[in-house]
Amino acid sequence: MRRVLFAVLFLLTACGSSDYDRPPQGRPMRGTGMRQAGPMLLDVLPDDTWWRDNSLAAALNLSNDQFQALDRIAGDQRDEIARLERDLPVATRDLRSALNTDPTSAADITAAAQRIRDIRGSLFDRQAQMLSAERVVLTQKQWTTLLDQLQQQRGQRMNRGNDGYGGRGGRRGGYPRGGGGRPWPY
């Protein structure tokens, strides 16, 4: 029993030490090419209205029927995905509360952790449904073009992200907070 409790506490502490409970910093700008889904983000998931991004839509040459089908798919899934994304930080805070109560209860901790697992599973399922429905609408050539375009945008964002700071933690000269006199990495 003790080993199980320690294993559960270890796993929950690992889950609780992440920053997944922070709300997203806002919707991505048009054309960023990725859904804001926190921990459930799959590399192949474009944002929920990627077909409205002129650079992507022009490259894919979408028909009116495809455009309307993609709008319907987004409408069918968007609200539930948004609800699950809002519920995840609340469930994570509940887990932290269960971990910090005195006296604590293994049953409360486990229940809170299972709620997080269930929300993440539901979120993943919804995202997978949306992705598969979007893929069915597109031809193989359009799908390949979309993936190429998203990869290209990702590369451009990464190149713009350096903006003279280099890849050293975002600080000029690469020095850690507080100076220290040594540049990254050490």
Side-chain angles (χ1 to χ4, degrees):
M1 178 66 184
R2 200 174 234 188
R3 285 183 188 168
V4 172
L5 181 60
F6 283 126
V8 168
L9 287 176
F10 174 76
L11 290 173
L12 295 176
T13 303
C15 290
S17 66
S18 70
D19 63 352
Y20 290 146
D21 62 330
R22 271 194 257 162
Q25 299 300 334
R27 296 295 300 162
M29 292 174 40
R30 275 180 77 122
T32 59
M34 300 303 285
R35 283 191 180 116
Q36 286 282 350
M40 301 309 301
L41 185 66
L42 298 175
D43 285 338
V44 295
L45 286 179
D47 69 27
D48 351 359
T49 57
W50 59 265
W51 58 94
R52 293 188 177 275
D53 179 345
N54 290 334
S55 64
L56 289 174
L60 270 63
N61 194 24
L62 296 171
S63 70
N64 286 338
D65 290 341
Q66 287 176 314
F67 196 86
Q68 290 171 356
L70 292 168
D71 276 339
R72 274 192 307 276
I73 292 165
D76 291 346
Q77 299 291 341
R78 185 180 300 132
D79 291 340
E80 185 63 18
I81 288 173
R83 183 190 65 79
L84 291 166
E85 287 174 339
R86 285 189 309 268
D87 289 350
L88 190 56
V90 174
T92 304
R93 280 191 298 272
D94 291 347
L95 174 60
R96 285 193 177 144
S97 268
L99 288 167
N100 292 330
T101 59
D102 190 30
T104 191
S105 161
D108 291 345
I109 293 169
T110 303
Q114 288 174 344
R115 181 169 176 238
I116 292 172
R117 182 196 61 207
D118 293 345
I119 292 171
R120 286 180 176 173
S122 295
L123 181 58
F124 182 86
D125 290 345
R126 286 289 180 160
Q127 289 173 334
Q129 288 172 8
M130 190 166 177
L131 179 64
S132 64
E134 289 173 350
R135 173 56 187 97
V136 168
V137 168
L138 301 175
T139 66
Q140 175 63 36
K141 184 177 181 192
Q142 288 172 324
W143 176 250
T144 305
T145 302
L146 174 62
L147 293 178
D148 291 344
Q149 291 292 317
L150 292 174
Q151 184 66 34
Q152 191 175 59
Q153 286 180 353
R154 224 175 285 133
Q156 289 170 353
R157 273 195 321 274
M158 290 180 78
N159 289 339
R160 279 193 311 254
N162 289 342
D163 287 338
Y165 290 96
R168 304 181 198 149
R171 290 180 182 80
R172 289 187 186 187
Y175 292 96
R177 220 175 265 148
R182 294 188 317 188
W184 294 101
Y186 19 138

